[in-house]
Amino acid sequence: IVDGLPRYAIVKDKVPLDRLALPGFLRRLEQAFAGWTADTRDGLRLDGPDGWIQARASNTEPIARIIAEGPDETTAREWIAHARAAL
């Protein structure tokens, strides 16, 4: 049964970010992934046709954590790079 399920890759990253700059980053991130469904309950999660990406502030460090899950590692890394460009 497990072999019949789709496989996805998760990539995690972090970027230095002052908490005051987070709202602007999240707005730009949402614009960068226009057409994806946004959920703002925990930072910003964007759901696309083949996966998702989330950005949120760390509670212990002056950074934003970015996590992407896609059909393969290359795609997830591309989404992370696209998110970092929104900084």
Side-chain angles (χ1 to χ4, degrees):
I1 293 173
V2 172
D3 288 340
L5 297 173
R7 300 194 185 278
Y8 290 89
I10 293 179
V11 176
K12 299 178 182 183
D13 197 9
K14 61 185 176 181
V15 293
L17 188 70
D18 183 274
R19 192 172 277 277
L20 296 176
L22 183 69
F25 169 56
L26 297 182
R27 276 193 306 276
R28 290 187 302 276
L29 182 60
E30 189 170 359
Q31 292 168 351
F33 288 85
W36 288 36
T37 303
D39 181 334
T40 58
R41 287 179 282 183
D42 183 19
L44 176 65
R45 177 183 163 127
L46 298 163
D47 289 294
D50 296 324
W52 55 269
I53 187 164
Q54 180 183 25
R56 60 183 296 280
S58 168
N59 289 325
T60 58
E61 301 174 80
I63 62 170
R65 298 189 187 282
I66 306 171
I67 304 167
E69 181 178 54
D72 54 63
E73 186 175 340
T74 300
T75 301
R77 288 194 184 283
E78 288 172 359
W79 293 343
I80 294 279
H82 194 58
R84 289 178 70 97
L87 279 172

